[in-house]
Each structure stands twice: as structure tokens, then as C-alpha cells.
Amino acid sequence: MRFRRSAVGLVVATGVVVPLAVAAPATAAPDRAATQASASVPAYEWSNAAISGGGYVPGIVYNQTEPGLVYARTDIGGAYRLDRATDEWVPLLDHVGWDDWNRLGVLSLATDPVDTSRVYVATGMYTNEWDPENGAILRSGDRGATWDASPLPFKVGGNMPGRGIGERLQVDPSDNDVLYYGAESGQGLWRSTDAGVTFSRVDSFPNVGDFVPDAGSGNSYLMQNLGVLWTAFDTTATSAGEPTRTIFTAVADTDDILYRSDDAGATWGPVAGAPKGFLPHHGVIDEAGRFLYLTTSSTSGPYDGSDGEVWRYGLDDGSWTNITPAYRPVGVDFGFGGLTVDKSDPDTIMVASQIQWWPDILIFRSTDRGATWSPIWEYAYPPEGGTTFLSRYEQSVDGVPWLTFGKDAAPPVPWSEPAPKLGWMVSALEIDPFDSDELMYGTGATIYRSDDLTAWDQPGGKIHLTPEAFGIEETAIQDLVAPAGEVDLVSAMLDLGGFVHDDLGTVPQSFRAPYFGGGTSVDAAGLVPDVIVRAGTDGGGARVVAASTDSGASWTTSPAADGATGSGTVTVNADGSGIVWAPDGAAVRHSSDGGVTFTDVTGLPAGARVESDRVDASRVYAFAGGVFFRSEDAGAHFAAVSSGTLPAENLVRFASTPGALGDLWLAGGSDEGGVYGLWHSTDGGSTWTAVEGFDEADAVGFGKAAPGAPGPAVYTAASRDGVRGVYRSIDGGATWARINDDEHEWGWIGADIEGDPDVFGRVYLATNGRGIVVGDDTSAASTHEWSSSAVYDKGDVVSSRGAVWVASWWTQGQRPGAKKNGPWQEIAATPTGVAVWTASRIFDTGDVVSSGGSLWRAKWWSRGDEPGSSKHDPWDRIR
């Protein structure tokens, strides 16, 4: 087992920064929010909540001259290098920012076999109108630690059909300053002669390709020309330091799939006798045996491919031999994707079916250059009758349990889909060029690895497969919630549904009963964090909500939202007694029985975004089309309370402050003719004030208060004074600090941001392809113990007798708590962020406190008046 616990898990185990220094009302006066940390610049370390994979890995690329050096590319999550010391993949493109988000799509990767510190990636997300930017070739001279960019005059489709074909980007192994790149969309073949600094089109190359996945679909995503696909080099007749003379380049043209040059790319011609009718997905040259191997498929992939072949071409005699494995266990054909030749034993080659959805993919192995093949599994029919399953593998996903996709683990048996499966969409299939026992292959969800591959060739031998994607975090996160208490984080995401993380460093099982094929929204009750709700699409395609009262251990499933086009957003009110669900394209609905039944609400349009007050169970909020709505009866009825100030276009996210009634923050908008920024309301959304300095903002959330601060830390993904980043305020929005840097930006991070209610400074970011990013403030320090000789100014924070205190004015020698109306205020809060009433603390009108097991709201300024102690005290009991 190669799964490793991440360092984040260790932080979780020891992550309490200051006892009792938890959040209190954000409505408190700013002059009481000052802390010793307010003037310092926080220092952050960044990692991921462990999921391990979660998306398509279309490319795995071993360096051919340096043992152990291997890279992986993903379609939306960047590129990675395997750290052999830890068996974890290191992300290489986290510097990609908001404006160049498309560079997290990696269509191809090349590692230099001469100067092995060099690595290149072809980046860009889409070639259709979804991506407004052109692509680029990024180059690194330090294995991906730093990068320079060479912009291209056309788009690159790292997340387009055919992204598993390749590799399109190749370094000439004889002259490593020469690179070739096969472009999409009719742009042809491109070449660099200066190690990737500049590229120019190879005008002599005769075919730009013409294959379009579905020209008549009307869907621009399926109407793009796949173009020029990959290049392979035969260096036998070339001296080192000179450009390779014999080059093969494949094209997405089912009539002329392969071209050859014998003069270093000066002239080209189609290879005589090349197979027709299929696309050449992969090509590998075996110089020792003097062969070029091809896998082909009837379609571009990665989701399809109903037929295909495997071919062997003689480099010297020009002969073509069809070596397609014949075995078809369920009687249907499939295309071929992954292809690898064992460099240590070139007689051995392996290929993989591009797609065989049911019951599982097939991987084939030959030790005689394709004359005969053995499949990784097959059905046998003994004389006594029946069907048996013969396997050449054993598979364990104990370290990544969600790979069973909601099912109980079950071994493969005849005519049944196993759990886990070997995979699907297998374009990347690679034997380590220095170790015949190491195999890695990519699937639509992970990388699998074997370290005993040659056992396949022994009578009765079995190889062992385990996930090898730890460090690769490729999920598209839609929503997050961090409940107080034992659960660290709950997520909603595309494809996998989401997770309850009890430990950030351990890969959990995904949501089950109901299993979600995709999740869009999660929430936890503000005062009862064990109550969690989630919205998503279940295994049958229905849009449903699930509710839990035990932190996700068990769930109640709602009726499906008939006619809904998406699962939308869901919220649970502060005490967990009511749920409001706003599915896309259908009426907003309300439940008061834990999600068993729902009735339509009044006063809200379909598609509204809903959130609950964190303190007042009767209040639920909603936003749609520039109008802010509020319910005073737990979500049964809504009324508009403000309009005309907030953004009416583009995405908007808003959130209610923990521990404060009616305190709201809203981020969103558009810079294309509309308002865009961050707003704050202290009256339940009736009025809003723009937060100065933010020219753009997209998500806002809250975390545990800084030591001595009366309100929670506020986090936002935003642009402030023209600088994009992740910002934090620990003084209720009076001042802000950027907490990320230019090397940690993660592309588009506008879906959600959440602070941790239990660990000051910890923040969670929802990314679109880099999973859940976790930030920890390494500069956060414990408060100093009070000293009788020290001089303290207003805002200084100390610890004394197990509590945290903040100075209200200059003081020396007065022990905190010694006098009722002395210079010190004791600051404490419940785990859910509600201020704990203390006799020394000053409260203002509207502040909410916890005292005697109840919640109280201040009617006027108060200090020392215990809630409920007299008939005329300044407190109203609210719960």
C-alpha cells in the first residue's frame, strides 16, 4: 500500500491555537476588535484535504533517461511530479491565477531526456467559446518548480474531446532544443528550435487533420477538429546533437493517419499501407526491435470508442501487421487507448481498451511483440458448465475507499460489475523504462500502480494494484461547510458527490445512502452543527436533498424535485428544524420534518440562492436577480427586503455571520457593465454597505476568531486594490490582509471559501480542479500570559487563569478579572461562535450571548448585567 497520510492530518491532531479564543458577535464595535496580531502579516502553508484523485488522468510520462522521474497531467487540475521519497505527487501549476485559469488544463506534457531538469506542458482548457484565451507552452528548467510561458496564437483544449490522445508535445531526443507540438482546430504542426522559447508552424507538414467528434450536433464542444495528434522519433540514423532525421507524426484523419519525414521535418509524406478508418490514439517506437506500435479507436474518446485496432509497423521494411487482441468477453468491440513498450524488455508490450463500460476495462499484455496476448481478466467455461472468472490481478482501494463509487466492495465475478473497477478512459498506460515490475495507468478517477507486474507472466500469477494518486487532487468543488466540533469539513462536488472529512489527512468514503453522482450544495445548522443537509443528483439521476442529524453517519432522502434542471442550493436553519431547498428550474421548497416531505414556499423565484441565519432559527435569506429576500418563519414565506444595490448579474455568494443575528456578507457581480465587489449588512439584508477597496469579490466565509477578537475571522476570494488573492480580516472588515501569494493561486476559486470554526487561521478554498485547498496560518501564536510588570495598551490580549482577556485601556499591574469594571474584558465564545456572557465584557445593542443554556440579545449597552438575573435587565431571551 502506497497511501500516505498527509501533513494536514498531523496539524488537525494538534491544531488548537488558543483555548477559549473563539468567535463572538461581528456586530461588536470595531475599537473592541483590535488584537496584537492585527498589524502582522500572516504566513500561510497550503495543502489539500485528502481525496486522492477524483478526475481523469489522461497522461503519465516517464523520463526515458533518469530512473524514477515521472510526471502526470490532468485535464482540469494541472500537472504533477511524483516525489519518490514520499510516494506523493507534487502539484506544479498552483501558480496559475484567476485570469489565466485555463492553464490548469494540460493537453500534453514532455520531459527532456537529455537535460532531465527540463519539463514542458501545453496548457489551455477549451478550443471553443467557453475559453476566451489562447493556449501556451510552459517551460521549466527545474522540474516544474518555476515556469516561463510561450503564448500560442491559438487555443488549446486540455478538457476537450481527444485529450487522452498523444503526447502532442515532444522533445527531440537527439537535439533537445527541438520540440514538436501537434495543434488542434486546423492549426497544424508546430516546432521550436530554442527549447520552447518560441514556436513556429511547420509549413511543410501537409495535413492539419479533419476529424470532428460530432459535426452535426450543434454543440461547439463536439465540433472541434482534433488536428495533429502526436510525434515519435527514430533516432537510429541521427548523431547526438543533431535534429532527428526520421520522424513520425499522427493526424486526426481516418484516411491518412500517419506521416513520415526522413530529413528532420523538411519534407513529409504519408506512410504507405497505414491502417484506415480509425484514429491513431498512441504511438510508441521500439528502436531495438525496429517497430512502431499504434493503438487506434473509432472515436476521439475519452468517453467513447466502440471499435479499434492495434498495429505494428516495421521501421525498416515498411510492413504493417495487425496485432489486435481478439478477446471480447461480452461480445462487443471497443477502441484501444493506452499503449506501452517495456524498454527493459522490448518484446513485452501492453495495451488497454479505451472504454468498455461494462463490466470493466481490459488490459492486454504480450511478451512476443503482439503475436499472442493475455488479458488481465477473462471468462472461462469449464466442462461441467457455468462461467468462472479468471483474473491476473488483485486490487485494493483500502486507502481510497470512495473508489467503489457508493457500492460495497465486491470481487469480480462473471457477468457483474466489480467494485472497485479496474477503471475506464484508460489513455495513460506506462511501464517504468527502468523497472519492468512498475506499471502505472490513469483512469477517469485515479492512477493505479503495480510493483510486481512481471508476476503476470507466471503460471497462476497475479499482479497487485493499488491507487497511486495521493497528492493529485482533481475535484471540482461546488460548496463547503465547516461545522464546529468533530467533523472538520463537509463538501459538495461534481462527479464524486462529496465527503464528510473527520480528518483532513485521511481519504474518507464518499456520501452514501444516498450516493450522489454530483453534489452542488451543503449546509450545517448554525447552532446544532450535527445537523447537515446536502443537495445533489443521486445514482439514478434524480435531484434530491439528504439530511443528517448525526454529522453524516446516516441520512434521510427527500422526494425528487420533478422537472428540476439541477439540484441547486439547500440550507438548514439555525436550530436544525427547517430546510429550504432551491433546485434549479423548479419551485423553491421547505421542509419542517427533516427532509421527509417538502412544500413550496411563497415569495421566491425559482433558482434563488438560499442561506440561513446562524443564530435566529426563524430567519432564512435568499438572493435572486439583484433582489435580497428574507423569511421570518423558518423559510415558509419570503419577502423582498432590498434591491437596486446588489449585483443583478453573474454569480453571487452570500453568508451569515456565526454568532451574530442578521449580520450578512455578500460577494459577487460582474465587471462587464455591472457592479462587482463585497457588501456587508447588519440588519438582515435590508440595507447594504459596499466594503471599500474591493473591486471584485466572489466568495465569503468565516472562521474562528483571532485571540481576543469579539467576532469571527472573515475570508474572501477577491480582488482588492487590483490584486487578486485570498483575503482575511480579523477585525470585522476594518482591515484586510492577503494570505496567499503568487505561487499559490489555484486558478478559479470563486465557488466557496470557509474558515474553520475550531482552528484560528485555517481556511478552506473550493477550487475548480485542484480539490479542497487548506491554508494554515503558521504565524498564529498563543497569547502571552499576563504579567504584573508589563504595560498594556488598549487592544492588547493576554491569557490569565485559563481565559483570554483584552485590554479596554492602558493598564499596568491590574490582574484580569480582579475588578468588575476594570480594564480587562474576558472574551469567550461557544464552539458555534456565539459569545459567552462574561461579567467583565462590554456588550452593545444587538449583541447575542449564550448564558445559562439560553441565547440572549442585548437591548442596550451592558456590562456586568447577567442575562435573566432581573426583570429589567438589558437582555431579551431569543432561544
Side-chain angles (χ1 to χ4, degrees):
M1 178 65 63
R2 293 183 173 271
F3 178 78
R4 295 288 186 269
R5 181 186 178 89
S6 76
V8 174
L10 303 179
V11 174
V12 172
T14 60
V16 177
V17 178
V18 183
L20 300 179
V22 288
T27 53
D31 66 342
R32 302 197 333 264
T35 72
Q36 290 167 307
S38 62
S40 64
V41 177
Y44 265 75
E45 288 185 351
W46 300 96
S47 57
N48 280 96
I51 295 171
S52 188
Y56 182 33
V57 181
I60 298 169
V61 182
Y62 281 89
N63 189 280
Q64 296 299 302
T65 59
E66 180 176 330
L69 181 57
V70 59
Y71 296 88
R73 64 179 174 92
T74 69
D75 50 6
I76 65 170
Y80 296 79
R81 184 188 69 249
L82 183 62
D83 183 337
R84 291 286 185 172
T86 62
D87 271 341
E88 295 182 11
W89 295 90
V90 178
L92 303 179
L93 298 181
D94 281 357
H95 69 277
V96 170
W98 184 271
D99 292 332
D100 57 356
W101 58 270
N102 70 337
R103 292 183 178 179
L104 285 178
V106 181
L107 182 60
S108 191
L109 185 149
T111 171
D112 190 324
V114 180
D115 182 350
T116 59
S117 293
R118 293 183 186 176
V119 61
Y120 304 85
V121 290
T123 65
M125 199 71 75
Y126 301 102
T127 58
N128 63 348
E129 73 279 3
W130 299 351
D131 187 345
E133 303 298 330
N134 285 335
I137 305 294
L138 307 186
R139 62 189 187 278
S140 172
D142 51 17
R143 303 173 189 249
T146 61
W147 298 88
D148 292 302
S150 299
L152 295 170
F154 47 80
K155 294 183 179 183
V156 171
N159 197 30
M160 294 293 290
R163 57 195 181 273
I165 298 174
E167 295 290 322
R168 293 171 179 263
L169 183 63
Q170 296 284 346
V171 179
D172 186 331
S174 290
D175 180 354
N176 65 321
D177 284 340
V178 175
L179 287 83
Y180 284 88
Y181 176 66
E184 303 150 284
S185 306
Q187 296 294 331
L189 180 66
W190 290 67
R191 177 170 54 208
S192 172
T193 58
D194 54 9
V197 177
T198 61
F199 281 82
S200 58
R201 183 165 175 160
V202 181
D203 292 330
S204 62
F205 192 77
N207 192 340
V208 300
D210 64 2
F211 186 89
V212 173
D214 191 349
S217 67
N219 181 349
S220 63
Y221 181 74
L222 300 174
M223 297 170 64
Q224 306 296 303
N225 178 2
L226 266 62
V228 181
L229 302 178
W230 48 261
T231 294
F233 303 91
D234 178 9
T235 64
T236 305
T238 303
S239 300
E242 298 179 355
T244 298
R245 297 191 59 79
T246 301
I247 309 168
F248 295 87
T249 295
V251 179
D253 177 346
T254 56
D255 292 324
D256 291 296
I257 67 170
L258 191 64
Y259 289 79
R260 175 172 177 159
S261 174
D262 289 303
D263 52 14
T267 61
W268 301 79
V271 177
K276 298 181 182 293
F278 298 113
L279 291 176
H281 272 234
H282 288 271
V284 177
I285 285 181
D286 165 24
E287 290 189 343
R290 307 300 298 147
F291 293 115
L292 166 67
Y293 294 94
L294 290 178
T295 54
T296 70
S297 181
S298 57
T299 68
S300 60
Y303 307 107
D304 50 10
S306 59
D307 199 1
E309 297 168 340
V310 183
W311 287 84
R312 186 181 67 211
Y313 170 72
L315 295 174
D316 298 326
D317 63 12
S319 63
W320 285 94
T321 305
N322 188 332
I323 57 170
T324 307
Y327 183 59
R328 299 292 184 273
V330 293
V332 296
D333 273 323
F334 41 77
F336 290 89
L339 163 68
T340 186
V341 177
D342 186 346
K343 188 177 179 181
S344 302
D345 179 13
D347 287 344
T348 298
I349 63 174
M350 296 179 70
V351 296
S353 61
Q354 165 64 25
I355 282 292
Q356 182 173 269
W357 289 110
W358 192 90
D360 207 349
I361 62 160
L362 276 162
I363 300 174
F364 295 90
R365 180 173 170 90
S366 172
T367 56
D368 52 16
R369 302 182 186 273
T372 60
W373 297 90
S374 63
I376 196 168
W377 63 268
E378 59 186 311
Y379 293 149
Y381 306 94
E384 61 271 19
T387 306
T388 60
F389 185 93
L390 300 182
S391 158
R392 292 175 177 86
Y393 75 96
E394 292 180 353
Q395 184 180 14
S396 171
V397 296
D398 291 346
V400 190
W402 60 262
L403 282 167
T404 61
F405 285 88
K407 300 178 180 179
D408 292 330
V413 296
W415 315 113
S416 180
E417 188 174 71
K421 298 178 69 167
L422 285 169
W424 52 91
M425 297 159 52
V426 179
S427 303
L429 176 77
E430 299 292 338
I431 299 173
D432 186 333
F434 298 94
D435 183 355
S436 295
D437 270 321
E438 180 174 295
L439 171 78
M440 283 196 276
Y441 68 90
T443 77
T446 191
I447 294 173
Y448 282 108
R449 174 170 167 170
S450 172
D451 288 319
D452 55 3
L453 180 60
T454 57
W456 186 314
D457 306 323
Q458 306 303 315
K462 292 179 184 288
I463 68 172
H464 294 82
L465 294 169
T466 55
E468 182 64 16
F470 197 82
I472 294 178
E473 299 294 343
E474 202 191 344
T475 47
I477 313 303
Q478 306 300 294
D479 201 13
L480 299 168
V481 65
E486 295 298 319
V487 170
D488 286 334
L489 191 67
V490 187
S491 54
M493 63 188 66
L494 300 182
D495 298 331
L496 305 186
F499 298 88
V500 175
H501 267 92
D502 296 318
D503 177 353
L504 295 175
T506 300
V507 178
Q509 179 60 269
S510 60
F511 292 142
R512 303 178 74 184
Y515 169 76
F516 276 3
T520 57
S521 183
V522 290
D523 195 20
L527 299 175
V528 191
D530 290 345
V531 179
I532 302 170
V533 294
R534 55 184 170 103
T537 304
D538 70 11
R543 318 292 188 181
V544 297
V545 156
S548 174
T549 59
D550 52 15
S551 297
S554 61
W555 300 90
T556 297
T557 308
S558 75
D562 294 335
T565 58
S567 46
T569 58
V570 66
T571 189
V572 57
N573 66 348
D575 66 2
S577 63
I579 300 169
V580 177
W581 176 26
D584 298 329
V588 183
R589 54 206 66 193
H590 168 264
S591 175
S592 57
D593 59 8
V596 177
T597 62
F598 280 83
T599 57
D600 292 354
V601 308
T602 62
L604 274 188
R609 186 173 188 88
V610 293
E611 297 280 356
S612 294
D613 195 274
R614 300 292 94 182
V615 173
D616 187 343
S618 67
R619 282 198 175 182
V620 182
Y621 307 105
F623 179 87
V627 180
F628 200 83
F629 300 84
R630 186 171 69 228
S631 171
E632 303 285 0
D633 59 4
H637 305 86
F638 286 81
V641 294
S642 65
S643 63
T645 301
L646 301 175
E649 300 176 356
N650 213 355
L651 298 177
V652 168
R653 305 285 188 264
F654 70 95
S656 177
T657 307
L661 194 155
D663 195 86
L664 302 163
W665 295 73
L666 183 145
S670 170
D671 54 10
E672 299 176 357
V675 294
Y676 200 176
L678 183 66
W679 287 264
H680 186 203
S681 173
T682 59
D683 57 8
S686 296
T687 60
W688 295 86
T689 301
V691 182
E692 292 184 3
F694 287 97
D695 38 274
E696 298 176 359
D698 295 274
V700 62
F702 311 96
K704 184 177 180 178
V714 186
Y715 298 89
T716 182
S719 174
R720 183 168 173 82
D721 297 326
V723 179
R724 261 284 167 189
V726 181
Y727 290 88
R728 184 185 80 186
S729 175
I730 58 175
D731 54 12
T735 61
W736 297 85
R738 186 185 179 203
I739 60 175
N740 70 321
D741 55 53
D742 291 348
E743 296 305 310
H744 299 90
E745 298 199 72
W746 315 284
W748 190 82
I749 53 172
D752 197 15
I753 186 170
E754 297 287 336
D756 192 295
D758 302 314
V759 181
F760 168 63
R762 179 169 294 167
V763 63
Y764 306 104
L765 303 176
T767 77
N768 187 46
R770 274 288 288 120
I772 303 168
V773 170
V774 182
D776 279 291
D777 185 352
T778 59
S779 62
S782 299
T783 54
H784 295 292
E785 191 71 19
W786 175 82
S787 170
S788 60
S789 61
V791 174
Y792 298 99
D793 288 324
K794 178 181 178 181
D796 285 346
V797 179
V798 299
S799 296
S800 179
R801 299 176 180 177
V804 174
W805 304 77
V806 62
S808 301
W809 54 79
W810 184 97
T811 179
Q812 182 181 25
Q814 297 188 52
R815 176 178 290 278
K819 293 183 178 181
K820 177 181 178 182
N821 295 314
W824 295 100
Q825 298 182 58
E826 181 185 354
I827 305 295
T830 69
T832 58
V834 178
V836 172
W837 179 86
T838 60
S840 61
R841 184 167 173 179
I842 299 169
F843 296 97
D844 282 335
T845 304
D847 284 351
V848 176
V849 302
S850 174
S851 179
S854 298
L855 296 185
W856 307 78
R857 189 178 190 188
K859 294 182 285 187
W860 54 78
W861 184 97
S862 170
R863 188 182 195 189
D865 300 304
E866 184 175 0
S869 61
S870 70
K871 183 178 180 180
H872 301 292
D873 70 24
W875 299 98
D876 280 332
R877 186 177 181 275
I878 60 175
R879 184 172 181 267

